[in-house]
Amino acid sequence: MASDVYLSETIKIGNQIALECPSPKTNFAVVFEDDGETGYFYGLNLENKEQPILDALHIYNVKDILDKDISVNVAIVWTDDGLKACLQINRFPHAIFDFESREAFCRTNFPPPDRRFTNSHKWSDKALELFK
């Protein structure tokens, strides 16, 4: 399935930032957040006003990043159907939400998944095929 970059931002890891990127066609959205200590990628259902967060994917611990002084590019890619989102840092995929199949993938496989959304966060390179 074809895909496009819908958000691209240069950041420094460890500087607090929240980047929200709604789906181009659905009521889903994703948010990348660096709170100064960790980086997380959240999947949201914007129809649920009381609790829009469906699941959260751990991306990094700031203390473990060696080159914190170097700026990085954070990009969010959505498939054309607006049902799949990928978080890239310096063009390298770190996490994917597949809202259609109710799957979430991240390279750290942490935290335990919210079982109301999915059963696993285990990374699979096959998920990258969703964006080709």
Side-chain angles (χ1 to χ4, degrees), residues 70-85:
I70 298 173
S71 295
V72 298
N73 177 264
V74 173
I76 295 175
V77 177
W78 281 97
T79 55
D80 287 348
D81 64 4
L83 291 170
K84 297 146 194 90

Side-chain angles (χ1 to χ4, degrees), residues 20 22 27 32 53-54 61 64 69 73-74 84 90 99 121 128:
E20 183 173 350
N27 288 318
F32 169 75
I53 298 173
L54 295 170
N61 292 317
D64 296 333
D69 299 334
N73 177 264
V74 173
K84 297 146 194 90
N90 289 339
F99 295 101
H121 287 162
L128 296 173

Side-chain angles (χ1 to χ4, degrees), residues 11-119:
I11 70 162
K12 284 203 176 175
I13 291 176
N15 288 358
Q16 293 183 4
I17 193 164
L19 304 171
E20 183 173 350
C21 187
S23 165
K25 293 188 177 170
T26 68
N27 288 318
F28 296 111
V30 291
V31 174
F32 169 75
E33 179 185 38
D34 183 326
D35 66 5
E37 294 181 21
T38 59
Y40 268 85
F41 192 47
Y42 299 94
L44 290 78
N45 179 348
L46 299 178
E47 287 182 338
N48 187 343
K49 303 294 184 204
E50 288 183 29
Q51 175 50 297
I53 298 173
L54 295 170
D55 207 351
L57 303 173
H58 176 263
I59 307 303
Y60 56 75
N61 292 317
V62 172
K63 67 181 174 91
D64 296 333
I65 304 297
L66 299 176
D67 296 328
K68 288 186 271 293
D69 299 334
I70 298 173
S71 295
V72 298
N73 177 264
V74 173
I76 295 175
V77 177
W78 281 97
T79 55
D80 287 348
D81 64 4
L83 291 170
K84 297 146 194 90
C86 178
L87 172 72
Q88 298 177 348
I89 299 176
N90 289 339
R91 300 180 65 174
F92 183 79
H94 284 265
I96 293 172
F97 276 105
D98 180 347
F99 295 101
E100 182 176 36
S101 297
R102 299 179 65 89
E103 294 182 302
F105 308 90
C106 67
R107 295 199 182 263
T108 64
N109 194 23
F110 184 80
D114 185 328
R115 300 255 184 226
R116 294 171 292 179
F117 179 71
T118 191
N119 292 322

